[in-house]
Amino acid sequence: MDQYNQGSEIFPPASPPTQDEKTMAILAHILTFVVGFIAPLVVYLSKKDQPSFALEHAKESLNFQLSLIIYFTVSLILMIILIGIAMMVILGILTFILVIVATIKAANGEMYRYPLTIRFIR
């Protein structure tokens, strides 16, 4: 276990994150609007060998994006009975809000956990 992720809880780092770590964490969240799960995946792969603030944010963002793929797929299937349309709209709005909140938290040097996220990567 590292200083950021101990078990299922995220603890604050021993020292404040550097500006570079904050920038990478911000990019892991905000770039998902443009390239989806690719942005957090790139940050995760570049930081996976060293525990860092950016790594934890990249893992969280990547888990959220992978969960969204599942949720949107289920919504697409449920479009047959029309409830999928409402689910897509709600997921879209919720995604926008949560990514903005996570980006602000990263910019402030705080950790953030997306709600309703399946933890594929720990």
Side-chain angles (χ1 to χ4, degrees):
M1 307 269 172
D2 57 54
Q3 64 182 349
Y4 291 93
N5 187 0
Q6 298 183 2
S8 63
E9 297 297 318
I10 292 181
F11 292 94
S15 62
T18 64
Q19 189 58 44
D20 287 341
E21 287 179 330
K22 285 182 186 179
T23 301
M24 293 296 282
I26 290 167
L27 291 175
H29 294 291
I30 202 73
L31 286 179
T32 59
F33 288 133
V34 180
V35 293
F37 73 92
I38 302 298
L41 180 62
V42 169
V43 174
Y44 173 75
L45 291 175
S46 69
K47 298 288 185 179
K48 72 177 180 176
D49 295 330
Q50 66 234 358
S52 71
F53 179 77
L55 175 67
E56 291 305 315
H57 273 276
K59 283 196 275 190
E60 192 63 24
S61 183
L62 185 56
N63 282 328
F64 182 62
Q65 294 301 314
L66 294 173
S67 297
L68 282 177
I69 290 170
I70 293 169
Y71 302 151
F72 275 110
T73 302
V74 169
S75 297
L76 187 64
I77 293 167
L78 290 176
M79 280 184 151
I80 295 169
I81 57 172
L82 300 179
I83 194 159
I85 296 169
M87 286 178 61
M88 287 262 194
V89 171
I90 292 168
L91 277 173
I93 293 168
L94 190 62
T95 298
F96 181 77
I97 292 168
L98 291 176
V99 169
I100 296 299
V101 168
T103 303
I104 292 169
K105 293 283 189 176
N108 292 334
E110 302 171 28
M111 297 308 296
Y112 181 72
R113 284 269 201 192
Y114 285 98
L116 304 172
T117 300
I118 303 166
R119 308 277 173 228
F120 296 104
I121 302 167
R122 296 184 186 266

